[in-house]
Amino acid sequence: MSRVFNFSAGPAAIPEPVLKQAQVELLDFRGTGMSVMEMSHRGKVFTDVAREVVSDFRGLLGIPANYKVLFLQGGGKGEFSIVPLNLLRGKKKADYVNTGHWSAGAIKEASKYCEVNVAASSEVRKFTYIPRQQDWRLSSDAAYVHICTNETIHGVEYFWTPETGQVPLVADASSHILSRPMDVARYGCIYGGAQKNIGPSGLTFVIVREDLLGGAHPWTPSVFDYTQQDNNDWMLNTPPTFAVYLAGLTFKWLAAQGGLAGMERVNVQKAECLYGCIDNSAGFYLNTIAKEDRSRMNVPFFLKDEKLNALFLEESLAAGLAGLKGHKAVGGMRASIYNAVSLEGVQALVDFMNAFAKRHG
Ligand code: PMP
């Protein structure tokens, strides 16, 4: 089968040039006569790869020098589960804003370790918007304020950065990291899983301000302790070396696309194209998210006539458009249009949607 346009939410599309380069280098990496996944993570060849990966990630996001970068394991869930262990630093309370499935997951995990103050929630309106900061009720004694900057399932995204004063802002940016520039200095910690915009699953990233290190709960497993991992160049245990290598190729591909500013320009065009199709379908398709909070990465939508869902999925797949089934928590359809999904791919989806609506409208 020829390659499809892949709209999966994660694991998700990886840029084709990245896959092709990995294929070329698979049997003989940098003249070693072995693949990158067969060599020691402590040897010079791989430690050079790891250093480059960190430095390219820093360059893309403009990460200030007083922030540490770690590449760990345990997925996005693992990451939000270890935030309280690392960042409570002896405090008993943390503020969380609930904007959807993944914020709620983070709240559930954090509740095991501390009192969680839900400072704001959009649950009563089915997570269709981001509560504005004037409506948040932050506590004065919180160790940190946690947000999910892009809700992969509900399709809401922050296009503004909350102001939390001296209290560190912590963000799960799993599903929109590297889709546009981000002012890292406004955050205490940004983390996420790699399997949307960075590479394969099995890898996570943590960007953490260095003054927040050193206070992990004593029971924190050492491999999940930011400080211990930082002291060991995030190789306290064996990293997922192939995933790290693929992340590195993706970072180089991103730089060649004009970096994050270049990527953002295309991502804006893609989102306008797809939301435009939905909004101009005379109600055949529906997206219920507040316009200013609509995610540029994850676009959930419904067919007005839900009886057409199965046919929509069948015909779209036959047209080379894969991964459009919505998450069961929301239903309907979802198109994830991450960095590796081209404008051409979104145009093909929109052409299909328009033709489908014409046939069945
Ligand atoms: N946070 C967000 C925003 C996510 O989208 C996901 C997964 N889609 C997770 C956390 C959980 O990631 P994982 O499945 O890697 O644990």
Side-chain angles (χ1 to χ4, degrees):
M1 188 175 181
S2 55
R3 297 250 319 149
V4 294
F5 290 117
N6 179 3
F7 299 94
S8 299
I14 290 179
E16 196 161 308
V18 166
L19 294 174
K20 285 196 165 140
Q21 190 173 342
Q23 188 176 41
V24 167
E25 296 180 326
L26 189 66
L27 297 185
D28 178 14
F29 184 64
R30 295 187 181 173
T32 58
M34 64 174 83
S35 93
V36 67
M37 59 187 138
E38 297 173 290
M39 62 184 58
S40 168
H41 58 296
R42 305 207 183 275
K44 175 160 171 21
V45 178
F46 189 78
T47 51
D48 282 353
V49 170
R51 222 184 345 267
E52 250 174 75
V53 168
V54 170
S55 131
D56 289 346
F57 189 54
R58 281 187 170 281
L60 283 168
L61 270 166
I63 300 175
N66 62 325
Y67 284 73
K68 303 291 191 179
V69 168
L70 310 170
F71 287 102
L72 305 177
Q73 299 172 71
K77 273 190 183 177
E79 282 308 324
F80 61 59
S81 307
I82 64 174
V83 160
L85 285 169
N86 279 282
L87 298 181
L88 280 171
R89 295 164 295 132
K91 295 210 163 118
K92 307 241 170 304
K93 193 193 253 186
D95 285 343
Y96 278 71
V97 177
N98 186 10
T99 49
H101 185 92
W102 295 112
S103 310
I107 289 170
K108 188 170 167 215
E109 289 299 326
S111 303
K112 297 175 184 172
Y113 306 103
C114 66
E115 181 189 335
V116 169
N117 169 48
V118 178
S121 171
S122 55
E123 189 169 9
V124 288
R125 279 169 52 195
K126 296 192 171 163
F127 300 123
T128 52
Y129 72 105
I130 304 275
R132 290 297 171 268
Q133 185 158 359
Q134 65 260 28
D135 301 322
W136 294 14
R137 287 220 283 261
L138 297 175
S139 32
S140 54
D141 51 349
Y144 57 85
V145 179
H146 182 280
I147 59 176
C148 176
T149 42
N150 185 69
E151 288 280 0
T152 321
I153 293 174
H154 288 91
V156 289
E157 178 171 359
Y158 283 76
F159 293 102
W160 49 281
T161 311
E163 184 47 69
T164 57
Q166 293 304 306
V167 182
L169 179 62
V170 178
D172 176 353
S174 294
S175 49
H176 73 161
I177 189 78
L178 302 178
S179 66
R180 57 181 163 101
M182 212 170 168
D183 186 359
V184 174
R186 303 279 301 276
Y187 298 81
C189 176
I190 304 173
Y191 70 84
Q195 66 268 29
K196 288 96 163 64
N197 266 342
I198 293 183
S201 57
L203 181 70
T204 64
F205 65 91
V206 179
I207 303 164
V208 58
R209 213 173 59 213
E210 60 190 7
D211 60 284
L212 300 176
L213 295 180
H217 190 285
W219 292 352
T220 310
S222 53
V223 296
F224 291 130
D225 180 330
Y226 298 163
T227 311
Q228 290 194 49
Q229 281 288 15
D230 179 53
N231 290 339
N232 289 277
D233 294 328
W234 49 270
M235 300 226 187
L236 195 61
N237 57 334
T238 314
T241 51
F242 193 68
V244 170
Y245 153 75
L246 275 186
L249 294 184
T250 304
F251 297 159
K252 299 224 184 283
W253 173 83
L254 262 168
Q257 310 305 303
L260 302 194
M263 209 65 248
E264 179 174 34
R265 273 194 295 278
V266 183
N267 285 332
V268 167
Q269 281 180 285
K270 283 153 52 186
E272 280 175 356
C273 179
L274 182 49
Y275 286 113
C277 162
I278 295 167
D279 293 343
N280 294 322
S281 68
F284 188 88
Y285 302 109
L286 214 67
N287 168 279
T288 55
I289 306 303
K291 285 206 168 132
E292 62 278 17
D293 301 326
R294 282 171 160 183
S295 169
R296 281 186 199 148
M297 295 284 103
N298 307 99
V299 182
F301 60 93
F302 304 95
L303 275 65
K304 188 176 167 197
D305 180 0
E306 299 235 295
K307 289 196 293 300
L308 291 171
N309 281 358
L311 190 65
F312 181 91
L313 287 169
E314 188 189 315
E315 289 190 6
S316 56
L317 188 58
L321 308 161
L324 289 167
K325 191 174 191 323
H327 190 277
K328 61 182 184 302
V330 171
M333 307 296 154
R334 173 176 48 169
S336 295
I337 49 176
Y338 298 124
N339 289 348
V341 177
S342 61
L343 181 58
E344 183 199 358
V346 174
Q347 193 58 59
L349 171 61
V350 163
D351 290 347
F352 169 81
M353 286 170 66
N354 286 334
F356 187 87
K358 212 166 166 185
R359 277 199 305 282
H360 299 283

